[in-house]
Amino acid sequence: MGKLITSRQLIKAVFLLLILTSMVIFVIHSDLSALKKELSTIGYRFIFIVFTTLVAYLFGTLAWWVCLGSSKKKINILELFAVRQIGETVGLFNPTSIIAGDLLKAELITRYDIPLQPGLSAVAISRITAILSQLSIFLLAMIWLMLSPLKKEVMQYTGYAIYVVCVVLLLFVILIFYWLVSTKIPPKNNPADTSFVSKSKNQLQKLLWDTKDFYQQQNKVFWYSYLLFAIHWLIGSLEFYLILKFLAVDVRVIHGLILDMSVILFKSAGAFIPGQLGVEEISNKLLLSMIGISGGSIWLSVSLLRRGRQVFWTAIGAIFYLCIKRKTVHVSI
């Protein structure tokens, strides 16, 4: 009869179970009654929050689309937007975070006759440009913060740790760019070794080389992706700004940028937690206090409204997945 189930199908089933379990945990631990109350407080203005994230996600999609090279002719922006949203949703509710989400993106675009390997390379390249643009904006925001009147209050919370973090991140960015510009011989695979570890190692080496080669051979496209992701982060940070404005808090756009970039770094540390439950809430409270916004339960209101946006886009991602699953699979490597 042969194998009733392949190892690939088993891995898929396990990951699907993990994602569904994480989503259930997320919903159970989300105070939906409190969320409903906060949504009623800002009313129709919640549409502006959703629209802001929609525009940000579209720029994130464009940043990935330009990395697809000639393959981008096979998939339009709206289709790629749907694939990206599914991948980001899986990354949010999976212990392996962006790894599982990015792998799923590459697999899903094979349904549009885009070979798996170029898809994986495009995902890896866009992830690099996303990280580099995010860290660049974060560092610029920190420079503004430390030159602003808020410096004294920030130092009370962080001490010199904020300088240490910024220096480490700056060195990390410099190291990535140094690695991208350095010229090395492409890694040689060992076809004789067919073990899972060897295959994974060869795949990772190829992805890293493809990213380096892309930067050196298609430098303009790399920077287009970088710029589009920078716009993605800037527009996405308006969510914080709008929420605080709707809650009658006197803030500036730069405050929203600082909060968003900082929260993303905090959430990265707890990426293995489904939906980063608790991590985001603590981050919101700490960072709002750090810039002088600590009145009442503002941090809780902000957290609930941001969770509301997550719930909305999670539902959209689930709908997209059901639609894309109906497409015919194109098996190409």
Side-chain angles (χ1 to χ4, degrees):
M1 291 178 63
K3 292 183 178 180
L4 294 177
I5 184 170
T6 65
S7 58
R8 183 185 178 89
Q9 290 172 325
L10 180 60
I11 292 172
K12 275 188 172 183
V14 171
F15 270 100
L16 181 60
L17 181 61
L18 282 172
I19 295 164
L20 292 176
T21 303
S22 299
M23 285 183 172
V24 170
I25 293 172
F26 177 77
V27 172
I28 291 174
H29 286 82
S30 296
D31 193 337
L32 298 181
S33 59
L35 173 58
K36 184 179 179 181
K37 181 180 178 182
E38 293 298 336
L39 288 174
S40 64
T41 300
I42 68 171
Y44 71 92
R45 290 176 294 182
F46 185 72
I47 296 173
F48 292 105
I49 296 172
V50 172
F51 180 74
T52 298
T53 52
L54 169 63
V55 176
Y57 295 161
L58 281 171
F59 273 99
T61 304
L62 282 170
W64 177 22
W65 185 71
V66 298
C67 295
L68 283 169
S70 58
S71 295
K72 63 177 177 283
K73 298 176 182 178
K74 300 177 180 179
I75 184 169
N76 62 49
I77 294 299
L78 293 180
E79 290 170 332
L80 197 65
F81 176 87
V83 172
R84 182 182 182 276
Q85 198 55 44
I86 295 168
E88 294 298 312
T89 301
V90 168
L92 180 66
F93 295 104
N94 193 283
T96 59
S97 190
I98 61 173
I99 296 175
D102 284 357
L103 288 174
L104 180 59
K105 290 177 191 175
E107 183 179 334
L108 287 176
I109 60 174
T110 61
R111 295 172 181 271
Y112 298 89
D113 201 23
I114 297 175
L116 181 60
Q117 190 56 52
L120 282 170
S121 298
V123 169
I125 293 161
S126 65
R127 183 58 65 183
I128 292 291
T129 55
I131 292 172
L132 287 174
S133 59
Q134 179 201 345
L135 292 179
S136 300
I137 293 173
F138 173 79
L139 290 170
L140 289 173
M142 289 301 103
I143 291 173
W144 180 92
L145 185 62
M146 301 314 291
L147 293 176
S148 74
L150 291 170
K151 176 182 177 180
K152 186 177 180 180
E153 194 155 6
V154 172
M155 292 296 289
Q156 288 179 346
Y157 279 89
T158 67
Y160 288 98
I162 189 169
Y163 290 111
V164 174
V165 170
C166 289
V167 169
V168 170
L169 291 178
L170 178 60
L171 290 175
F172 179 67
V173 171
I174 293 172
L175 183 63
I176 290 179
F177 276 115
Y178 174 77
W179 171 75
L180 287 171
V181 299
S182 63
T183 303
K184 291 185 178 181
I185 300 173
K188 292 182 179 180
N189 295 338
N190 182 10
D193 190 349
T194 58
S195 66
F196 176 78
V197 174
S198 179
K199 284 183 177 180
S200 300
K201 181 182 176 182
N202 291 338
Q203 184 68 55
L204 179 60
Q205 286 180 334
K206 188 172 190 326
L207 284 176
L208 291 174
W209 175 258
D210 287 346
T211 303
K212 182 196 290 279
D213 186 61
F214 186 92
Y215 177 81
Q216 295 178 3
Q217 302 300 323
Q218 302 187 60
N219 192 262
K220 286 186 178 180
V221 179
F222 184 94
W223 286 108
Y224 286 151
S225 180
Y226 177 96
L227 176 61
L228 288 166
F229 265 121
I231 297 172
H232 158 78
W233 297 120
L234 291 171
I235 295 176
S237 69
L238 291 175
E239 179 192 31
F240 252 117
Y241 171 75
L242 290 175
I243 289 175
L244 290 169
K245 276 293 186 182
F246 295 157
L247 294 174
V249 179
D250 184 22
V251 291
R252 296 163 62 181
V253 173
I254 186 66
H255 294 141
L257 180 63
I258 292 169
L259 289 168
D260 192 49
M261 293 295 99
S262 301
V263 166
I264 289 173
L265 288 180
F266 270 90
K267 287 167 64 177
S268 297
F272 60 92
I273 300 173
Q276 289 81 61
L277 282 168
V279 177
E280 180 163 347
E281 286 72 16
I282 293 172
S283 302
N284 290 340
K285 185 174 184 178
L286 175 64
L287 293 166
L288 284 166
S289 299
M290 191 177 73
I291 64 171
I293 303 173
S294 56
S297 58
I298 291 174
W299 68 273
L300 182 58
S301 298
V302 170
S303 299
L304 286 168
L305 290 170
R306 279 167 62 84
R307 288 297 183 193
R309 180 262 301 162
Q310 279 185 343
V311 170
F312 174 83
W313 284 111
T314 295
I316 296 297
I319 294 171
F320 285 157
Y321 181 73
L322 293 175
C323 294
I324 290 179
K325 282 292 286 184
R326 295 179 179 179
K327 284 190 68 67
T328 303
V329 180
H330 296 278
V331 181
S332 47
I333 304 299

